[in-house]
Coordinates of all heavy atoms in Angstrom, one line a residue:
M1 N -72.6 169.8 92.0 CA -73.1 168.5 91.3 C -73.4 168.9 89.9 O -74.2 169.8 89.7 CB -74.2 168.0 92.0 CG -74.8 166.7 91.5 SD -76.2 166.1 92.4 CE -75.6 165.7 94.0
T2 N -73.0 168.2 88.9 CA -73.4 168.3 87.5 C -74.7 167.6 87.3 O -75.0 166.6 88.1 CB -72.4 167.8 86.6 OG1 -72.2 166.5 86.7 CG2 -71.0 168.5 86.8
E3 N -75.3 167.8 86.2 CA -76.6 167.1 85.9 C -76.4 165.6 85.8 O -77.3 164.9 86.2 CB -77.2 167.6 84.4 CG -77.7 169.0 84.5 CD -78.1 169.5 83.2 OE1 -78.3 168.7 82.3 OE2 -78.5 170.7 83.2
S4 N -75.3 165.1 85.3 CA -75.0 163.7 85.1 C -74.8 163.0 86.4 O -74.7 161.7 86.5 CB -73.9 163.4 84.1 OG -72.7 164.0 84.7
E5 N -74.6 163.8 87.5 CA -74.3 163.2 88.9 C -75.7 163.0 89.6 O -75.6 162.4 90.7 CB -73.3 164.0 89.6 CG -72.0 163.9 89.0 CD -71.0 164.9 89.6 OE1 -71.4 166.0 90.1 OE2 -69.7 164.7 89.6
V6 N -76.7 163.7 89.2 CA -78.0 163.7 90.0 C -78.4 162.1 90.3 O -78.9 161.8 91.3 CB -79.0 164.5 89.3 CG1 -80.5 164.4 90.1 CG2 -78.5 165.9 89.2
Y7 N -78.4 161.4 89.2 CA -79.0 160.0 89.3 C -78.2 159.2 90.5 O -78.9 158.5 91.2 CB -78.9 159.2 88.0 CG -79.4 157.8 88.2 CD1 -80.7 157.6 88.2 CD2 -78.5 156.7 88.4 CE1 -81.3 156.3 88.3 CE2 -79.0 155.5 88.5 CZ -80.4 155.2 88.5 OH -80.9 153.9 88.6
A8 N -76.9 159.3 90.5 CA -76.2 158.7 91.6 C -76.5 159.1 92.9 O -76.6 158.3 93.9 CB -74.7 158.9 91.3
A9 N -77.0 160.3 93.1 CA -77.4 160.9 94.4 C -78.9 160.5 94.6 O -79.2 160.1 95.8 CB -77.3 162.4 94.5
V10 N -79.8 160.5 93.7 CA -81.2 160.3 93.9 C -81.6 158.9 93.8 O -82.5 158.4 94.5 CB -82.0 161.4 92.9 CG1 -83.5 161.1 93.0 CG2 -81.7 162.7 93.2
G11 N -81.0 158.3 92.8 CA -81.3 156.8 92.6 C -82.6 156.6 91.8 O -83.5 157.4 91.7
G12 N -82.8 155.4 91.2 CA -84.0 155.0 90.6 C -85.2 155.1 91.4 O -86.3 155.6 91.0
E13 N -85.1 154.8 92.7 CA -86.2 154.8 93.7 C -86.6 156.2 94.0 O -87.8 156.5 94.0 CB -85.7 154.1 94.9 CG -86.6 154.3 96.2 CD -87.9 153.8 96.1 OE1 -88.2 152.9 95.1 OE2 -88.7 154.2 96.9
G14 N -85.6 157.1 94.0 CA -86.0 158.5 94.2 C -86.7 159.2 93.1 O -87.8 159.9 93.3
F15 N -86.3 158.9 91.9 CA -87.0 159.3 90.6 C -88.4 158.8 90.6 O -89.4 159.4 90.2 CB -86.2 159.1 89.3 CG -85.1 160.1 89.2 CD1 -83.8 159.8 89.4 CD2 -85.5 161.3 88.7 CE1 -82.8 160.7 89.2 CE2 -84.4 162.3 88.4 CZ -83.1 162.0 88.7
T16 N -88.6 157.5 91.0 CA -89.8 156.8 91.0 C -90.8 157.5 91.8 O -91.8 157.8 91.6 CB -89.7 155.4 91.4 OG1 -88.8 154.7 90.2 CG2 -91.0 154.6 91.3
R17 N -90.3 157.8 93.1 CA -91.2 158.4 94.1 C -91.6 159.9 93.7 O -92.7 160.2 93.9 CB -90.4 158.5 95.5 CG -90.5 157.1 96.2 CD -90.2 157.3 97.7 NE -88.7 157.8 97.9 CZ -88.4 158.8 98.6 NH1 -89.3 159.6 99.2 NH2 -87.1 159.0 98.7
L18 N -90.6 160.5 93.1 CA -90.8 162.0 92.7 C -91.9 162.0 91.5 O -92.9 162.8 91.7 CB -89.5 162.6 92.1 CG -89.6 163.9 91.4 CD1 -89.7 165.0 92.5 CD2 -88.2 164.2 90.6
V19 N -91.8 161.2 90.5 CA -92.7 161.2 89.4 C -94.0 160.6 89.8 O -95.1 161.1 89.4 CB -92.1 160.4 88.2 CG1 -93.2 160.3 87.1 CG2 -90.9 161.2 87.7
A20 N -94.1 159.6 90.8 CA -95.3 159.2 91.2 C -96.1 160.2 92.0 O -97.3 160.3 91.9 CB -95.1 157.8 92.1
A21 N -95.3 160.9 92.7 CA -95.9 162.0 93.5 C -96.7 163.0 92.7 O -97.8 163.5 93.0 CB -95.0 162.8 94.5
F22 N -96.2 163.3 91.5 CA -96.8 164.3 90.5 C -98.0 163.5 89.9 O -99.1 164.1 89.9 CB -95.8 164.6 89.5 CG -96.4 165.4 88.3 CD1 -96.7 166.8 88.6 CD2 -96.8 164.9 87.2 CE1 -97.4 167.5 87.5 CE2 -97.3 165.6 86.2 CZ -97.7 166.9 86.4
Y23 N -97.7 162.4 89.4 CA -98.8 161.7 88.8 C -100.1 161.3 89.7 O -101.2 161.2 89.1 CB -98.5 160.4 87.9 CG -97.9 161.0 86.6 CD1 -96.6 161.2 86.4 CD2 -98.8 161.1 85.5 CE1 -96.2 161.7 85.1 CE2 -98.4 161.7 84.4 CZ -97.1 161.9 84.1 OH -96.6 162.4 83.0
R24 N -99.9 161.2 91.0 CA -100.9 161.0 91.9 C -101.9 162.1 91.8 O -103.2 161.9 92.2 CB -100.4 160.7 93.3 CG -100.2 159.3 93.8 CD -100.2 159.2 95.3 NE -99.2 160.0 96.0 CZ -97.9 159.7 96.1 NH1 -97.4 158.6 95.5 NH2 -97.0 160.4 96.6
Q25 N -101.4 163.3 91.6 CA -102.4 164.4 91.7 C -103.0 164.8 90.3 O -104.0 165.5 90.2 CB -101.5 165.7 92.1 CG -100.8 165.4 93.5 CD -100.2 166.7 93.9 OE1 -100.9 167.7 94.1 NE2 -98.9 166.8 94.2
V26 N -102.6 164.1 89.3 CA -103.1 164.4 88.0 C -104.6 164.1 87.9 O -105.4 164.9 87.4 CB -102.3 163.8 86.8 CG1 -103.1 163.9 85.4 CG2 -100.9 164.4 86.7
P27 N -105.0 162.9 88.3 CA -106.5 162.6 88.1 C -107.5 163.6 88.8 O -108.6 163.8 88.3 CB -106.7 161.2 88.6 CG -105.2 160.6 88.7 CD -104.3 161.7 88.8
G28 N -107.0 164.1 89.9 CA -107.9 165.1 90.6 C -107.6 166.6 90.1 O -108.3 167.4 90.8
D29 N -106.9 166.8 89.2 CA -106.5 168.2 88.8 C -107.4 168.6 87.5 O -107.2 168.0 86.5 CB -105.0 168.2 88.5 CG -104.6 169.7 88.3 OD1 -105.1 170.3 87.4 OD2 -103.7 170.1 89.1
P30 N -108.2 169.6 87.7 CA -109.1 170.0 86.6 C -108.4 170.5 85.4 O -108.8 170.6 84.3 CB -109.9 171.1 87.2 CG -109.2 171.6 88.4 CD -108.4 170.4 88.9
I31 N -107.1 171.1 85.6 CA -106.3 171.7 84.4 C -105.6 170.5 83.8 O -105.5 170.4 82.6 CB -105.4 172.8 85.0 CG1 -106.3 173.9 85.3 CG2 -104.5 173.2 83.9 CD1 -105.4 175.1 86.1
L32 N -104.8 169.8 84.6 CA -104.0 168.8 83.9 C -104.6 167.5 83.5 O -104.3 166.9 82.4 CB -102.8 168.4 84.9 CG -101.9 169.5 85.4 CD1 -100.8 169.0 86.3 CD2 -101.2 170.2 84.2
H33 N -105.6 167.0 84.3 CA -106.1 165.8 83.9 C -106.6 165.6 82.4 O -106.4 164.7 81.8 CB -107.4 165.4 85.0 CG -107.7 164.0 84.8 ND1 -109.0 163.5 84.9 CD2 -107.0 162.9 84.5 CE1 -109.0 162.2 84.8 NE2 -107.8 161.7 84.5
P34 N -107.4 166.7 81.9 CA -107.9 166.6 80.5 C -106.8 166.5 79.5 O -107.0 166.0 78.4 CB -108.7 167.9 80.5 CG -109.0 168.4 81.7 CD -107.9 168.0 82.6
L35 N -105.6 166.9 79.8 CA -104.5 166.8 78.9 C -103.9 165.5 78.7 O -103.4 165.2 77.6 CB -103.3 167.8 79.4 CG -103.5 169.3 79.3 CD1 -102.3 169.9 80.0 CD2 -103.5 169.8 77.8
Y36 N -104.0 164.6 79.7 CA -103.3 163.4 79.7 C -104.1 162.2 79.2 O -105.3 162.3 79.3 CB -102.8 163.1 81.1 CG -101.6 163.9 81.5 CD1 -101.6 165.1 82.1 CD2 -100.3 163.3 81.3 CE1 -100.5 165.9 82.3 CE2 -99.1 164.0 81.6 CZ -99.2 165.4 82.0 OH -98.0 166.1 82.3
P37 N -103.4 161.2 78.6 CA -104.2 160.1 78.0 C -104.9 159.4 79.2 O -104.2 158.7 80.0 CB -103.1 159.2 77.4 CG -101.9 159.7 78.0 CD -102.0 161.1 78.5
A38 N -106.2 159.4 79.2 CA -107.0 158.8 80.4 C -106.7 157.3 80.6 O -106.7 156.9 81.7 CB -108.5 159.1 80.1
D39 N -106.5 156.6 79.5 CA -106.3 155.1 79.5 C -104.9 154.8 79.6 O -104.6 153.6 79.6 CB -106.9 154.6 78.2 CG -106.4 155.1 76.9 OD1 -105.7 156.2 77.1 OD2 -106.4 154.5 75.8
D40 N -104.0 155.7 79.8 CA -102.5 155.3 79.8 C -101.8 156.2 80.7 O -100.7 156.6 80.3 CB -102.0 155.3 78.4 CG -100.6 154.6 78.4 OD1 -100.3 153.9 79.4 OD2 -99.7 154.9 77.6
L41 N -102.4 156.5 81.8 CA -101.6 157.4 82.8 C -100.4 156.7 83.3 O -99.4 157.4 83.6 CB -102.6 157.8 84.0 CG -102.4 159.2 84.5 CD1 -102.4 160.2 83.4 CD2 -103.5 159.5 85.6
E42 N -100.4 155.4 83.5 CA -99.3 154.6 84.0 C -98.2 154.7 83.0 O -97.0 154.8 83.3 CB -99.7 153.2 84.1 CG -99.8 152.7 85.5 CD -100.3 151.2 85.7 OE1 -99.6 150.4 85.0 OE2 -101.3 151.0 86.3
G43 N -98.4 154.7 81.7 CA -97.5 154.8 80.7 C -96.9 156.1 80.7 O -95.6 156.3 80.5
A44 N -97.6 157.2 80.8 CA -97.1 158.5 80.8 C -96.1 158.6 82.1 O -95.1 159.3 81.9 CB -98.3 159.6 80.9
E45 N -96.6 158.1 83.2 CA -95.7 158.1 84.4 C -94.4 157.5 84.1 O -93.4 158.0 84.4 CB -96.4 157.6 85.5 CG -95.6 157.6 86.8 CD -96.4 157.0 88.0 OE1 -97.7 157.1 87.9 OE2 -95.7 156.6 89.0
Q46 N -94.4 156.4 83.4 CA -93.2 155.6 83.1 C -92.3 156.4 82.2 O -91.1 156.4 82.2 CB -93.6 154.3 82.5 CG -92.4 153.4 82.3 CD -92.7 152.2 81.4 OE1 -93.9 151.7 81.4 NE2 -91.7 151.7 80.6
R47 N -92.9 157.1 81.1 CA -92.1 157.8 80.1 C -91.4 159.0 80.7 O -90.2 159.2 80.5 CB -93.0 158.2 79.0 CG -93.5 157.2 78.0 CD -94.3 157.6 76.9 NE -95.7 157.8 77.1 CZ -96.7 157.0 77.2 NH1 -96.4 155.7 77.0 NH2 -97.9 157.2 77.4
L48 N -92.1 159.8 81.7 CA -91.4 160.9 82.3 C -90.3 160.4 83.3 O -89.2 160.8 83.2 CB -92.5 161.6 83.1 CG -91.8 162.9 83.7 CD1 -91.2 163.9 82.8 CD2 -92.9 163.6 84.6
R49 N -90.7 159.3 84.0 CA -89.7 158.7 84.9 C -88.3 158.3 84.1 O -87.2 158.7 84.5 CB -90.2 157.6 85.7 CG -89.2 157.0 86.8 CD -89.7 155.9 87.5 NE -90.0 154.7 86.5 CZ -91.3 154.1 86.4 NH1 -92.3 154.4 87.2 NH2 -91.4 153.1 85.6
D50 N -88.6 157.5 83.1 CA -87.4 157.0 82.4 C -86.7 158.2 81.7 O -85.4 158.2 81.6 CB -87.9 156.0 81.4 CG -88.4 154.8 81.9 OD1 -88.2 154.4 83.2 OD2 -88.9 153.9 81.2
F51 N -87.4 159.2 81.3 CA -86.6 160.3 80.6 C -85.8 161.0 81.6 O -84.7 161.3 81.5 CB -87.7 161.3 80.0 CG -87.0 162.6 79.6 CD1 -86.3 162.7 78.4 CD2 -87.1 163.7 80.5 CE1 -85.7 163.9 78.1 CE2 -86.5 164.9 80.1 CZ -85.7 165.1 79.0
L52 N -86.4 161.3 82.8 CA -85.6 162.1 83.8 C -84.4 161.2 84.2 O -83.3 161.8 84.5 CB -86.5 162.4 85.0 CG -87.6 163.4 84.7 CD1 -88.5 163.6 86.0 CD2 -87.0 164.8 84.3
I53 N -84.7 159.9 84.4 CA -83.5 159.0 84.8 C -82.3 159.2 83.9 O -81.2 159.3 84.2 CB -84.0 157.6 85.1 CG1 -84.8 157.5 86.4 CG2 -82.8 156.6 85.1 CD1 -85.4 156.3 86.8
Y54 N -82.7 159.0 82.4 CA -81.7 159.2 81.4 C -81.1 160.5 81.5 O -79.8 160.6 81.4 CB -82.4 158.8 80.2 CG -82.0 159.7 79.0 CD1 -80.8 159.6 78.4 CD2 -82.8 160.7 78.6 CE1 -80.4 160.5 77.4 CE2 -82.4 161.6 77.6 CZ -81.2 161.5 77.0 OH -80.8 162.3 76.0
R55 N -81.9 161.5 81.6 CA -81.4 162.9 81.5 C -80.5 163.3 82.5 O -79.5 164.2 82.5 CB -82.6 163.9 81.4 CG -82.2 165.3 81.1 CD -81.5 165.5 79.8 NE -81.2 166.9 79.6 CZ -80.1 167.5 80.1 NH1 -79.4 166.7 80.9 NH2 -79.9 168.7 79.9
F56 N -80.6 162.6 83.8 CA -79.7 162.9 85.0 C -78.8 161.9 85.2 O -78.3 161.8 86.3 CB -80.7 163.3 86.1 CG -81.4 164.7 86.0 CD1 -82.7 164.7 85.7 CD2 -80.7 165.8 86.1 CE1 -83.4 165.9 85.7 CE2 -81.3 167.0 86.0 CZ -82.7 167.1 85.6
G57 N -78.3 161.3 84.2 CA -77.1 160.3 84.3 C -77.3 158.9 84.7 O -76.4 158.2 85.0
G58 N -78.6 158.5 84.6 CA -79.0 157.0 84.9 C -79.0 156.1 83.6 O -78.6 156.7 82.5
P59 N -79.5 154.9 83.7 CA -79.6 154.1 82.6 C -80.6 154.6 81.4 O -81.4 155.5 81.7 CB -80.5 152.9 83.2 CG -80.2 152.9 84.7 CD -80.0 154.4 85.0
E60 N -80.2 154.3 80.3 CA -80.8 154.9 79.0 C -82.1 154.2 78.5 O -82.3 154.0 77.3 CB -79.7 155.0 77.9 CG -78.4 155.8 78.4 CD -77.9 156.6 77.3 OE1 -78.0 156.1 76.0 OE2 -77.3 157.6 77.6
T61 N -82.8 153.6 79.4 CA -84.0 152.8 79.1 C -84.9 153.7 78.3 O -85.6 153.3 77.2 CB -84.8 152.5 80.4 OG1 -83.9 151.8 81.3 CG2 -85.9 151.4 80.1
Y62 N -85.1 155.1 78.5 CA -86.0 155.9 77.8 C -85.5 155.8 76.3 O -86.3 155.7 75.3 CB -86.0 157.3 78.3 CG -86.9 158.2 77.5 CD1 -88.2 158.3 77.7 CD2 -86.4 158.9 76.3 CE1 -89.1 159.0 76.9 CE2 -87.1 159.7 75.6 CZ -88.5 159.7 75.8 OH -89.3 160.5 75.1
I63 N -84.3 156.2 76.1 CA -83.7 156.2 74.7 C -84.0 154.8 74.0 O -84.4 154.9 72.7 CB -82.3 156.5 74.7 CG1 -82.0 157.8 75.4 CG2 -81.6 156.5 73.3 CD1 -82.7 159.1 74.7
E64 N -83.7 153.8 74.7 CA -83.9 152.4 74.0 C -85.4 152.2 73.5 O -85.6 151.6 72.7 CB -83.5 151.3 74.9 CG -82.0 151.2 75.3 CD -81.6 150.6 76.5 OE1 -82.5 149.9 77.0 OE2 -80.4 150.7 77.0
Q65 N -86.3 152.7 74.4 CA -87.7 152.4 74.1 C -88.4 153.6 73.2 O -89.1 153.3 72.5 CB -88.5 152.4 75.4 CG -88.1 151.2 76.2 CD -88.8 150.9 77.4 OE1 -89.6 151.7 77.9 NE2 -88.7 149.7 78.1
R66 N -87.9 154.7 73.3 CA -88.5 155.9 72.7 C -87.7 156.7 71.6 O -88.2 157.5 70.9 CB -89.0 157.0 73.7 CG -89.8 156.6 74.8 CD -91.2 156.1 74.5 NE -92.0 157.1 74.0 CZ -93.3 156.9 73.4 NH1 -93.6 155.7 73.0 NH2 -93.9 158.1 73.1
G67 N -86.4 156.4 71.6 CA -85.4 156.9 70.6 C -85.2 158.4 71.1 O -85.3 158.7 72.3
H68 N -84.7 159.3 70.3 CA -84.4 160.6 70.7 C -85.7 161.2 71.2 O -86.8 161.1 70.7 CB -83.9 161.5 69.5 CG -83.5 162.8 69.7 ND1 -84.3 163.8 70.1 CD2 -82.2 163.3 69.8 CE1 -83.5 164.9 70.3 NE2 -82.4 164.6 70.1
P69 N -85.6 162.0 72.5 CA -86.7 162.4 73.1 C -87.6 163.4 72.3 O -88.9 163.3 72.3 CB -86.1 163.4 74.2 CG -84.8 162.7 74.5 CD -84.2 162.2 73.2
R70 N -87.1 164.3 71.4 CA -87.9 165.2 70.6 C -89.2 165.8 71.3 O -90.2 165.6 70.9 CB -88.4 164.5 69.3 CG -87.2 163.8 68.5 CD -87.8 162.8 67.5 NE -88.3 163.4 66.3 CZ -88.9 162.7 65.4 NH1 -89.3 161.4 65.7 NH2 -89.4 163.3 64.3
L71 N -88.9 166.2 72.5 CA -89.9 166.8 73.3 C -90.8 167.8 72.8 O -92.0 167.9 73.1 CB -89.3 167.1 74.8 CG -88.8 165.9 75.6 CD1 -88.4 166.3 77.0 CD2 -89.9 164.7 75.6
R72 N -90.2 168.8 72.0 CA -90.9 169.8 71.5 C -92.1 169.3 70.6 O -93.2 169.5 70.7 CB -90.1 170.9 70.7 CG -90.8 172.1 70.3 CD -89.8 173.0 69.6 NE -88.7 173.3 70.5 CZ -88.7 174.6 71.1 NH1 -89.7 175.5 70.8 NH2 -87.7 175.0 71.9
M73 N -91.6 168.4 69.8 CA -92.5 167.6 68.8 C -93.6 166.8 69.5 O -94.7 166.8 69.1 CB -91.6 166.7 67.8 CG -92.4 166.0 66.8 SD -93.1 164.5 67.2 CE -91.8 163.5 67.3
R74 N -93.1 166.1 70.6 CA -94.0 165.3 71.3 C -95.1 166.0 72.1 O -96.1 165.4 72.5 CB -93.3 164.3 72.2 CG -92.7 163.2 71.3 CD -92.0 162.1 72.2 NE -91.9 160.9 71.4 CZ -90.6 160.2 71.3 NH1 -89.7 160.5 72.1 NH2 -90.7 159.2 70.7
H75 N -94.8 167.3 72.4 CA -95.8 168.1 73.1 C -96.7 168.8 72.2 O -97.8 169.5 72.6 CB -95.1 169.1 74.0 CG -94.6 168.4 75.3 ND1 -93.4 167.7 75.4 CD2 -95.1 168.2 76.5 CE1 -93.2 167.2 76.5 NE2 -94.2 167.6 77.2
I76 N -96.5 168.9 70.9 CA -97.2 169.7 70.0 C -98.7 169.3 70.0 O -99.6 170.2 69.9 CB -96.6 169.7 68.6 CG1 -95.4 170.6 68.5 CG2 -97.7 170.1 67.5 CD1 -94.7 170.7 67.2
P77 N -99.1 168.1 70.1 CA -100.4 167.6 70.1 C -101.2 168.2 71.3 O -102.5 168.2 71.2 CB -100.5 166.1 70.1 CG -99.2 165.8 69.8 CD -98.2 166.8 70.1
F78 N -100.6 168.7 72.3 CA -101.4 169.0 73.6 C -101.5 170.5 73.5 O -100.4 171.2 73.3 CB -100.7 168.4 74.8 CG -100.5 167.0 74.7 CD1 -99.2 166.5 74.4 CD2 -101.4 166.2 74.9 CE1 -99.0 165.1 74.3 CE2 -101.2 164.7 74.7 CZ -100.1 164.3 74.4
A79 N -102.7 171.1 73.9 CA -102.9 172.5 74.0 C -102.4 172.9 75.4 O -103.3 173.0 76.4 CB -104.2 172.8 73.8
I80 N -101.0 173.2 75.6 CA -100.6 173.6 77.0 C -100.6 175.1 77.0 O -99.7 175.7 76.5 CB -99.2 173.0 77.2 CG1 -99.3 171.4 77.1 CG2 -98.8 173.4 78.5 CD1 -98.0 170.8 76.9
G81 N -101.6 175.7 77.8 CA -101.5 177.2 77.9 C -100.8 177.6 79.2 O -100.1 176.7 79.8
Q82 N -100.8 178.9 79.5 CA -100.1 179.4 80.6 C -100.5 178.8 82.0 O -99.7 178.5 82.8 CB -100.5 180.9 80.7 CG -99.6 181.7 81.8 CD -98.2 182.0 81.4 OE1 -97.9 182.1 80.2 NE2 -97.3 182.1 82.3
A83 N -101.8 178.5 82.2 CA -102.2 177.9 83.5 C -101.7 176.5 83.6 O -101.3 176.1 84.7 CB -103.8 177.9 83.5
A84 N -101.7 175.7 82.5 CA -101.2 174.4 82.5 C -99.7 174.3 82.8 O -99.1 173.6 83.5 CB -101.5 173.6 81.3
R85 N -99.0 175.3 82.2 CA -97.6 175.4 82.3 C -97.3 175.8 83.7 O -96.4 175.1 84.4 CB -97.0 176.6 81.4 CG -95.6 176.7 81.2 CD -94.8 177.3 82.3 NE -95.2 178.6 82.8 CZ -94.5 179.8 82.5 NH1 -93.6 179.7 81.8 NH2 -95.0 180.8 83.1
D86 N -98.1 176.7 84.3 CA -97.8 177.1 85.7 C -98.1 175.9 86.7 O -97.3 175.7 87.6 CB -98.7 178.3 86.1 CG -98.1 179.6 85.3 OD1 -97.0 179.5 84.8 OD2 -98.9 180.6 85.4
R87 N -99.2 175.2 86.5 CA -99.6 174.1 87.3 C -98.4 173.0 87.2 O -98.0 172.5 88.2 CB -100.9 173.5 86.9 CG -101.4 172.4 87.8 CD -101.7 172.9 89.2 NE -102.6 174.0 89.1 CZ -104.1 173.9 89.1 NH1 -104.6 172.7 89.2 NH2 -104.9 174.9 89.0
Ligands
LIG1 C1 -89.6 170.9 81.4 C2 -90.9 170.6 81.0 C3 -91.3 169.3 80.6 C4 -90.7 168.0 80.4 C5 -89.2 167.8 80.7 C6 -91.5 167.1 79.9 C7 -91.4 165.8 79.6 C8 -92.1 164.9 78.9 C9 -91.8 163.5 78.5 C10 -90.4 162.9 78.7 C11 -92.9 163.0 77.9 C12 -92.9 161.7 77.2 C13 -92.6 161.9 75.8 C14 -92.7 160.5 75.0 O1 -93.7 160.3 74.5 O2 -91.8 159.7 75.0 C15 -93.9 164.1 78.0 C16 -95.2 163.9 77.6 C17 -96.3 164.6 77.9 N1 -96.2 166.0 78.6 FE1 -94.4 166.8 79.2 N2 -92.7 167.8 79.8 C18 -92.6 169.0 80.2 C19 -93.7 170.0 80.2 C20 -94.9 169.7 80.2 C21 -96.1 170.5 80.5 C22 -95.9 172.0 81.1 C23 -97.3 169.9 80.2 C24 -98.7 170.3 80.5 C25 -99.0 171.0 81.5 C26 -96.9 168.6 79.7 C27 -97.8 167.6 79.2 C28 -97.5 166.4 78.7 C29 -98.3 165.5 78.2 C30 -99.9 165.7 78.2 C31 -97.7 164.4 77.6 C32 -98.2 163.1 77.1 C33 -98.3 162.0 78.1 C34 -97.8 160.7 77.6 O3 -98.6 159.9 77.1 O4 -96.5 160.4 77.7 N3 -95.5 168.4 79.6 N4 -93.4 165.2 78.8

């Protein structure tokens, strides 16, 4: 399976469940929680979900709303150390 075929197999519902399962754990996580925007966790969840859907061959909602991902630039404001990377 190529990267662009993943969406057809997993579907929007699958990506939604995957990303929701991650974000459900963020509020209770002492390493990750402080990194994320406390007042916009829902928005963060939506941005990651839409990015993954676009990246794996689904609708380009992320690109329409956010433009080019520029993920390196968008992560620069956050101090992501080894522990956060591993978590
Ligand atoms: C392969 C690795 C990663 C990918 C693909 C990824 C993907 C993304 C995406 C798509 C966004 C939203 C960008 C936007 O504003 O449009 C984002 C934001 C963010 N990421 Fe990552 N990320 C990765 C690794 C990490 C790691 C290791 C951490 C910290 C442990 C992290 C923390 C954050 C935070 C705090 C935000 C801001 C939340 C928001 O408001 O959107 N990311 N990431």
Side-chain angles (χ1 to χ4, degrees):
M1 183 184 289
T2 66
E3 286 177 10
S4 62
E5 291 168 333
V6 174
Y7 180 79
V10 174
E13 164 66 14
F15 278 102
T16 298
R17 282 198 290 128
L18 176 71
V19 174
F22 173 78
Y23 274 96
R24 259 202 306 280
Q25 301 196 57
V26 170
D29 190 297
I31 293 176
L32 295 182
H33 194 217
L35 285 174
Y36 281 85
D39 56 346
D40 192 24
L41 215 49
E42 253 177 52
E45 180 173 335
Q46 185 192 332
R47 288 185 280 279
L48 181 61
R49 181 183 65 232
D50 289 348
F51 169 79
L52 292 176
I53 285 174
Y54 137 75
R55 185 62 183 76
F56 287 106
E60 303 212 331
T61 311
Y62 179 87
I63 301 297
E64 286 158 19
Q65 294 183 350
R66 306 290 290 165
H68 188 286
R70 302 166 81 195
L71 289 187
R72 190 178 296 258
M73 184 275 287
R74 284 185 161 133
H75 284 84
I76 282 176
F78 309 104
I80 302 172
Q82 184 79 27
R85 196 278 311 252
D86 292 347
R87 185 66 55 91

